[in-house]
Amino acid sequence: RHGSIGQRQKRSTVSPRWFATWISKTARPVAGRSGRRAFCRRATIFVVVDHCTSECLGLHATARGNRFEALEPVHQAVTEVFGGVDEKIAAGVLLRHDHGSVYTSEFQREIRFLGLESSSAFVRAPEGNGCAERFIRTLKEQLLWLRFFPAVAELNAALADFRGRYNHRWRLERHDYRAPAEVRAAFMALETAA
């Protein structure tokens, strides 16, 4: 891999806004069947993944996949990174999302209130949400296709547990086999040292 394009593009310094792009995505993997067992009666899962670290910053399942439920993982992400939800607290962070109807109207007003910049992914181009797509694939393979969830509350509890395991134990090749939380800690250390 010596001399590859990826190595030439590495930077020696880190931007103070290393978490400048988050990706929000809707998934409905639990409304199907695996073999003869249903995953859950019906649920929609919303995620927010940090594009830089691949860390899952927000994860929420709901029976109603509306715009208000879509904001829950965004609020989780803002609270985790900035310590709370307040006006313009996340200024400068880009929120990439798909074109679903849940990402209009109230959703747009709320992310403007938080200071997030809206960025719609290209239509029929899932690679624009690549980090979130990969996270959802891992979520399906490691949790959703393996267990039965009779209620959305049980699914949310399992998702919270999965999010912690993924962020602190899941090794990613693109980060030299470090967990997303380790990558974030390294960026934070560089930021405070600068």
Side-chain angles (χ1 to χ4, degrees):
R1 288 163 119 234
H2 182 66
S4 71
I5 293 173
Q7 287 180 336
R8 286 193 299 256
Q9 292 178 347
K10 286 186 179 177
R11 296 180 185 166
S12 59
T13 60
V14 176
S15 166
R17 300 302 290 220
W18 59 267
F19 47 81
T21 305
W22 293 346
I23 301 171
S24 180
K25 182 74 180 155
T26 306
R28 290 189 179 92
V30 294
R33 294 189 168 273
S34 173
R36 298 185 187 274
R37 295 183 51 141
F39 301 124
C40 188
R41 287 187 170 73
R42 178 144 179 96
T44 301
I45 299 174
F46 295 99
V47 303
V48 173
V49 177
D50 187 306
H51 186 264
C52 178
T53 65
S54 299
E55 186 174 20
C56 177
L57 298 174
L59 186 58
H60 178 64
T62 179
R64 300 176 320 272
N66 61 32
R67 61 190 175 272
F68 303 108
E69 299 290 347
L71 285 168
E72 177 57 29
V74 174
H75 288 153
Q76 291 173 8
V78 170
T79 301
E80 180 159 331
V81 174
F82 297 103
V85 175
D86 202 3
E87 187 173 4
K88 304 295 181 199
I89 195 166
V93 177
L94 183 71
L95 181 66
R96 168 68 52 105
H97 54 83
D98 58 16
H99 287 274
S101 61
V102 297
Y103 298 112
T104 59
S105 183
E106 292 294 323
F107 184 88
Q108 293 295 323
R109 268 195 289 272
E110 181 66 14
I111 65 172
R112 274 194 306 273
F113 171 81
L114 295 170
L116 294 164
E117 184 182 335
S118 177
S119 171
S120 295
F122 296 111
V123 177
R124 290 181 178 45
E127 60 275 4
N129 283 345
C131 290
E133 295 286 352
R134 183 63 184 115
F135 174 79
I136 290 169
R137 178 178 165 190
T138 301
L139 177 65
K140 287 177 181 179
E141 292 172 347
Q142 300 297 318
L143 178 69
L144 299 178
W145 289 344
L146 302 177
R147 291 190 39 203
F148 175 73
F149 302 99
V152 175
E154 291 179 38
L155 176 59
N156 267 320
L159 290 174
D161 180 54
F162 178 82
R163 179 180 167 205
R165 281 195 331 262
Y166 177 85
N167 286 341
H168 295 283
R169 295 186 193 150
W170 197 260
R171 306 293 176 199
L172 299 173
E173 181 182 10
R174 71 178 263 213
H175 294 308
D176 297 325
Y177 298 99
R178 293 181 295 164
E182 292 175 36
V183 175
R184 181 178 182 190
F187 277 120
M188 294 298 284
L190 285 173
E191 189 175 299
T192 56

